[in-house]
């Protein structure tokens, strides 16, 4: 593993990919979306329970690489309890963070550990996949999400 790669797979990311948080089916979800990244083989289902405008519960299931799994795991922790508008805001900040490695306002919190991903364009799709899926959930779209 090169130095750059070991920087990418830092401890927090490895921890979340080995022991993903909120990794289960949510039986009383009122929104579900599926996301696929055919290039890498990442495939996740995101379960969301919306309580009015607020995300009261968010979980996920599926399989994929360490980056996508860690991203989904951290995402569920960060978005639980947030409103739709807050979630959108965090998504935009996260998007900037993994595209440029900079930015990542105060909202990004733990997501800042994903900043190193911007150096690996192939991995950006892995990191963003769960976010595209949850965005589809929030918008009520039904079609499966694909990065291609
Ligand atoms: Zn991947």
């Amino acid at each position: 593993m090169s130095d750059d790669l070991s920087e990418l797979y830092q401890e927090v990311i490895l921890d979340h990919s080995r022991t993903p948080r909120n990794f289960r089916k949510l039986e009383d979800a009122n929104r579900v979306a599926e996301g696929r990244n055919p290039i890498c083989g990442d495939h996740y289902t995101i379960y969301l329970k919306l309580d009015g405008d607020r995300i009261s519960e968010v979980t996920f299931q599926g399989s994929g690489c360490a980056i996508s799994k860690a991203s989904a795991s951290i995402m569920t922790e960060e978005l639980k309890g947030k409103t739709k508008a807050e979630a959108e805001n965090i998504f935009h900040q996260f998007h900037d963070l993994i595209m440029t490695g900079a930015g990542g306002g105060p909202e990004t919190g733990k997501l800042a550990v994903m900043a190193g991903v911007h150096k690996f364009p192939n991995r950006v799709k892995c990191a963003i996949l769960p976010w595209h899926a949850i965005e589809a959930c929030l918008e009520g779209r039904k079609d499966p999400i694909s990065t291609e």
Side-chain angles (χ1 to χ4, degrees):
M1 217 183 251
S2 76
D3 285 348
D4 273 357
L5 267 176
S6 54
E7 182 190 325
L8 178 62
Y9 293 103
Q10 55 178 286
E11 203 53 45
V12 179
I13 293 178
L14 288 175
D15 175 48
H16 275 271
S17 68
R18 286 183 191 130
T19 319
R21 318 301 196 268
N22 305 303
F23 190 69
R24 60 191 164 88
K25 185 178 178 186
L26 188 62
E27 294 296 342
D28 59 347
N30 48 20
R31 299 282 176 91
V32 177
E34 208 181 325
R36 276 176 197 275
N37 175 8
I39 300 258
C40 182
D42 309 318
H43 181 201
Y44 295 99
T45 305
I46 309 287
Y47 301 92
L48 199 67
K49 190 178 179 195
L50 268 183
D51 210 347
D53 200 35
R54 196 169 289 278
I55 299 169
S56 62
E57 198 71 65
V58 50
T59 68
F60 75 108
Q61 274 194 321
S63 60
C65 65
I67 296 296
S68 60
K69 191 169 275 184
S71 182
S73 173
I74 298 171
M75 178 185 80
T76 60
E77 286 198 317
E78 290 293 307
L79 294 189
K80 188 176 172 179
K82 299 290 194 294
T83 64
K84 271 189 193 180
E86 287 168 340
E88 284 285 328
N89 188 30
I90 294 171
F91 173 69
H92 291 303
Q93 291 190 20
F94 178 67
H95 189 265
D96 286 351
L97 181 74
I98 63 166
M99 296 306 281
T100 67
E107 303 295 321
T108 45
K110 281 180 201 157
L111 296 168
V113 299
M114 305 295 287
V117 172
H118 84 279
K119 293 181 199 160
F120 306 88
N122 290 338
R123 292 304 194 184
V124 168
K125 286 178 178 174
C126 301
I128 205 83
L129 177 69
W131 292 82
H132 280 309
I134 204 164
E135 200 183 30
C137 265
L138 289 170
E139 290 171 359
R141 281 186 272 141
K142 297 268 192 292
D143 298 337
I145 304 307
S146 175
T147 54
E148 295 309 306

